[in-house]
Amino acid sequence: MEIKIETGGLRLDKALSDLTELSRSLANEQIKSGQVLVNGQVKKAKYTVQEGDVVTYQVPEPEVLEYVAEDIPLEIIYQDEDVAVVNKPQGMVVHPSVGHTSGTLVNALMYHIKDLSGINGVLRPGIVHRIDKDTSGLLMIAKNDDAHLALAQELKDKKSLRKYWAIVHGNLPNDRGVIEAPIGRSEKDRKKQAVTAKGKPAVTRFQVLERFGDYSLLELQLETGRTHQIRVHMAYIGHPVAGDEVYGPRKTLKGHGQFLHAKTLGFTHPKTGETMEFTADIPDIFKQTLEKLRKEQ
């Protein structure tokens, strides 16, 4: 494959990672093995790319993905013949993908729940919506296609209830507010999302629960469900989620990724029409960090 550098100044490995689907490590491997050429010449990873440089690289062979039931501990909050609600731990990927072919929520679901909807294909059985790997908390699972269609439509109609807790950087000027800014793929880094005019509408409501000087504890409610929505919106207003290695600062709270937890989930039962609402407590690392912030006040 071939790309043309439009803006110079980055290291070759960083530019290749940002502008293609290659990871930084894979970009480095290809550069070291001489598979990456800049204007037809082999360069080192530290080479600073210039505007107009033509970079060629190798597209890696796609991994063959499959789902296999794995006996992974899984907290099932609720389950009946149509739906289930699970509390995903921080650090677990929702479904198999390149680089994550096992140990995912889907692998666990296949072991613990025998009937799952097939609308999203063999790699995402039962998955109606997702949360990021390092975000913990509640997810609804569809156990048949009718339930899946009903739950997905409710999400699309913005009728589902999804509330998160997050520790964010800084002291917000208002106790509550609404962030309404479109989100789409970043034009500067294909692996990131960003607030962009070309993006899809995105709305996040927030309320400050506690203030700690340099940090704040928020409750956030999603009206839409864009990729990385809360993380992107909070970074956009200057209060990135603590621990967020992608959208936040390097100097942040120590943990296992972003301090973001899907705490409350509500939806209409697809068969009975009953309003269902569930809550999951924050993880231990989240609790311990809050306790430490309170003591420092």
Side-chain angles (χ1 to χ4, degrees):
M1 291 291 290
E2 182 178 285
I3 56 170
K4 188 173 182 179
I5 302 298
E6 296 182 358
T7 305
L10 292 177
R11 284 172 52 108
L12 176 58
D13 56 348
K14 180 71 164 60
L16 194 57
S17 175
D18 287 354
L19 298 173
T20 71
E21 297 302 322
L22 298 184
S23 65
R24 187 79 174 264
S25 59
L26 187 54
N28 268 293
E29 287 178 19
Q30 288 201 15
I31 292 168
K32 288 179 181 177
S33 63
Q35 298 178 73
V36 176
L37 301 178
V38 180
N39 303 324
Q41 298 181 333
V42 174
K43 298 287 185 181
K44 292 184 177 180
K46 65 181 181 181
Y47 168 77
T48 302
V49 298
Q50 308 295 318
E51 182 181 348
D53 279 350
V54 176
V55 180
T56 56
Y57 67 99
Q58 300 298 315
V59 178
E61 290 293 325
E63 288 187 57
V64 177
L65 301 178
E66 59 181 354
Y67 68 97
V68 178
E70 296 179 28
D71 186 4
I72 301 169
L74 182 64
E75 184 181 1
I76 301 175
I77 303 293
Y78 173 84
Q79 181 177 191
D80 61 27
E81 63 182 9
D82 297 293
V83 299
V85 176
V86 300
N87 185 15
K88 186 189 82 67
Q90 189 177 38
M92 177 183 275
V93 174
V94 169
H95 58 76
S97 61
V98 175
H100 299 285
T101 55
S102 65
T104 72
L105 177 64
V106 163
N107 296 115
L109 287 172
M110 293 300 299
Y111 182 88
H112 294 282
I113 301 176
K114 302 307 178 186
D115 299 315
L116 294 167
S117 70
I119 285 178
N120 272 342
V122 295
L123 295 181
R124 303 181 187 183
I127 302 299
V128 182
H129 62 129
R130 294 176 290 172
I131 55 178
D132 300 329
K133 173 190 172 187
D134 290 332
T135 299
S136 56
L138 297 176
L139 283 168
M140 64 179 85
I141 305 298
K143 297 183 67 175
N144 55 65
D145 288 356
D146 287 342
H148 193 129
L149 289 170
L151 293 172
Q153 187 62 48
E154 189 170 57
L155 279 170
K156 186 177 179 180
D157 293 341
K158 304 176 185 177
K159 294 179 180 178
S160 301
L161 177 65
R162 288 173 291 167
K163 290 184 177 180
Y164 290 69
W165 273 21
I167 302 175
V168 303
H169 283 266
N171 198 333
L172 282 77
N174 302 309
D175 287 339
R176 62 181 67 235
V178 180
I179 307 166
E180 190 168 356
I183 292 176
R185 188 182 294 276
S186 170
E187 296 178 5
K188 297 180 180 179
D189 184 343
R190 295 181 64 190
K191 295 181 178 65
K192 290 184 179 182
Q193 300 295 305
V195 170
T196 170
K198 298 179 181 178
K200 295 181 179 179
V203 181
T204 306
R205 297 183 180 276
F206 70 84
Q207 178 180 350
V208 178
L209 300 180
E210 290 186 65
R211 299 179 184 274
F212 309 107
D214 292 334
Y215 297 94
S216 300
L217 173 65
L218 305 186
E219 180 180 77
L220 303 114
Q221 182 170 337
L222 291 179
E223 287 197 9
T224 53
R226 307 304 173 206
T227 301
H228 301 172
Q229 179 171 318
I230 289 174
R231 298 163 64 191
V232 171
H233 269 175
M234 295 314 301
Y236 176 67
I237 66 169
H239 297 281
V241 177
D244 191 336
E245 296 179 356
V246 177
Y247 301 103
R250 289 187 178 182
K251 186 178 181 181
T252 187
L253 297 176
K254 292 182 179 179
H256 307 302
Q258 62 266 9
F259 285 86
L260 182 60
H261 175 70
K263 196 172 193 299
T264 303
L265 177 65
F267 56 87
T268 303
H269 193 282
K271 183 174 288 184
T272 68
E274 180 185 356
T275 299
M276 316 283 285
E277 187 171 319
F278 304 91
T279 301
D281 202 6
I282 53 177
D284 288 342
I285 185 68
F286 206 128
K287 290 180 184 176
Q288 293 161 9
T289 302
L290 283 177
E291 289 170 4
K292 184 178 179 182
L293 289 171
R294 286 166 184 148
K295 289 177 181 177
E296 292 174 350
Q297 292 304 295

